[in-house]
Structure formats: structure tokens, C-alpha cells
Amino acid sequence: MEGDSVTLHTDTEIQRYDLIEWRFGDKGIRIARINKTANKISIYDDVLDGRFRDRLQVNDQTGDLNITNITTQHTGLYLMINRKTPKTPYRFNVTVYAHLPVPLISRDSCSSSKCVLLCSVLNVRDVSLSWYKGNSLSSSISVSDLNIRLSLPLEVEYQDTNTYRCVLNNTITKQTQHLNITDLCQTCSNVITLIVLIISVVPLVFVSAAVIYCFCGKSQQTKEEGKNYL
């Protein structure tokens, strides 16, 4: 995880005339060197825009490389090469994961009986986003490259009493957000109920108005007829 320290162990013992080099990335950029003959350690932490600055330490007895306060920029291939021997270099593939955000649950849409919710996260990579119903996986989506927004929908009924949670995880950690159906869907349900009520009441209002109009009109007509008779 970002912020951790990692030590790349070689399980070797440096000999008197060894010349050890640590290299990083596909281009094999040198980041550290141990010259045992000269009894000298060199750290090249200004390379690659200084991403290794004040982060590298090497053990002059074992050749182990320690990287402190590691970031995602330090993901990649590391090689430990002994220039004085024909041995195959030690290879380390390091993957550094960023701290995961807590997923956000929001209401997307609603109908007369159901509510559609979205679980979303921003700017994540190498993760899975999943909905769980109780302890069972309901749906899931994964992304490997950096994504501006990752969303996963869930459709529930207003009276649903099951427990749901949205989980964002990578290979070493996870973040969970629990769903409260009542809080997110109640407003939507109330609006729909109000609309249905209005649709039901409005015709009654018109019918009532028509009845009153007819009654008043009839009364007025009767009065006029009475006057004419007199």
C-alpha cells in the first residue's frame, strides 16, 4: 500500500570484490550501487524526476534494497545485478496500491414500485466494485486501467427488507458502504405516491366542479323561468 516500506531481499552475502547494482523499470535505470572493493555505496535517487529521492537504502552486507514511503510511481520491475559474477540477476515485480476511497451510494431513478441505486467511485484502478445481498454476491464489475468513474446499479423494491452493501476491493484491501433503502428511496416513493394522489384527485375536482356548475346553472334557469311566468 502507498506509504508502506518494502524490502527486496536477495538472501545473499556480498563478497569482498562484488559490484552490486540495483536497476528499475523496463529500461533498467540504475538507482543504487555497492562497490565492495572501494567500500562505497552510491544512491541515484535523482533519476526519474526524483521519485526515489530520500526513499532508498541498501544493505552493504546482503545487498537488500529498502524503499520507504512507497507510492504507485514505484510500481515496476527491480533488478539486482552483480557485475563481478555471471549469475542471473535477481528480479522483483513490485505492485503498489493506492488507498481505496469509500464507495458512494446514490439514487439513480425510481418507478411506482422500485428504486434504482448506483454505487460509484472515482479515479481507481485494478479494483472490483460489487453489490452484496446479505452474504451473497449480487453483481460485480472490475477495472484494470484508471477510470474516471466506475458505477454499478442495483434495483430494489421499496418494501425490501434485505441488507445490501457495496464493496470496493483490490488484492490486499477493501472499502465497504452499507445501503439504507429507507433513507435513499423513501423520498422517491413519497413523490410517486403524491403524483398518484394528484392524478386520482384532479378528476374528482373537475367532476365536483361540473356538478356544482350544473346545479347552479339549473337553479338560475329555474329562477329565470319563474320570473317570466310572473
Side-chain angles (χ1 to χ4, degrees):
M1 295 291 296
E2 279 193 318
D4 290 344
S5 296
V6 62
T7 300
L8 307 182
H9 296 283
T10 60
D11 296 323
T12 61
E13 183 177 346
I14 297 179
Q15 303 301 312
R16 180 177 179 182
Y17 299 105
D18 284 345
L19 179 61
I20 305 297
E21 287 185 352
W22 277 100
R23 294 181 174 269
F24 171 74
D26 296 334
K27 295 182 179 180
I29 296 174
R30 187 171 60 187
I31 56 176
R33 189 181 192 189
I34 302 174
N35 187 336
K36 199 65 175 176
T37 302
N39 197 26
K40 181 180 179 181
I41 296 177
S42 302
I43 303 295
Y44 307 95
D45 59 1
D46 58 341
V47 298
L48 298 171
D49 300 322
R51 71 181 64 178
F52 289 101
R53 188 168 293 126
D54 299 326
R55 287 183 166 90
L56 299 179
Q57 300 170 350
V58 289
N59 188 312
D60 62 351
Q61 302 299 316
T62 64
D64 293 349
L65 176 70
N66 181 258
I67 310 168
T68 61
N69 194 22
I70 203 165
T71 73
T72 54
Q73 286 187 311
H74 302 120
T75 291
L77 174 66
Y78 292 79
L79 296 177
M80 195 274 269
I81 303 169
N82 191 340
R83 293 296 185 186
K84 296 295 183 178
T85 68
K87 291 183 179 180
T88 302
Y90 287 89
R91 302 169 64 91
F92 300 85
N93 282 299
V94 176
T95 302
V96 183
Y97 293 91
H99 290 279
L100 297 179
V102 177
L104 174 67
I105 300 176
S106 60
R107 188 181 68 233
D108 182 54
S109 62
C110 52
S111 64
S112 59
S113 61
K114 295 182 179 180
C115 179
V116 178
L117 303 158
L118 280 181
C119 183
S120 306
V121 287
L122 297 174
N123 300 323
V124 291
R125 69 192 314 165
D126 299 320
V127 297
S128 292
L129 187 65
S130 307
W131 276 111
Y132 283 85
K133 180 180 179 180
N135 293 322
S136 301
L137 178 64
S138 179
S139 60
S140 183
I141 187 173
S142 299
V143 61
S144 55
D145 296 327
L146 188 65
N147 197 315
I148 296 176
R149 182 181 178 88
L150 182 65
S151 298
L152 187 64
L154 175 71
E155 187 178 78
V156 296
E157 296 183 352
Y158 297 125
Q159 305 304 321
D160 195 334
T161 58
N162 292 295
T163 58
Y164 294 90
R165 69 184 190 278
C166 183
V167 179
L168 178 69
N169 71 284
N170 54 32
T171 59
I172 59 175
T173 188
K174 66 180 180 180
Q175 289 281 14
T176 301
Q177 182 70 274
H178 293 274
L179 169 63
N180 189 318
I181 296 177
T182 302
D183 287 349
L184 286 176
C185 294
Q186 184 177 24
T187 304
C188 189
S189 177
N190 289 343
V191 169
I192 291 174
T193 301
L194 180 60
I195 292 173
V196 171
L197 182 61
I198 291 173
I199 293 173
S200 301
V201 169
V202 168
L204 293 177
V205 173
F206 279 105
V207 170
S208 300
V211 170
I212 293 171
Y213 174 79
C214 290
F215 177 77
C216 293
K218 185 67 174 178
S219 298
Q220 184 66 28
Q221 182 180 1
T222 302
K223 290 179 180 179
E224 292 294 334
E225 290 176 352
K227 289 180 180 180
N228 294 334
Y229 177 78
L230 294 174

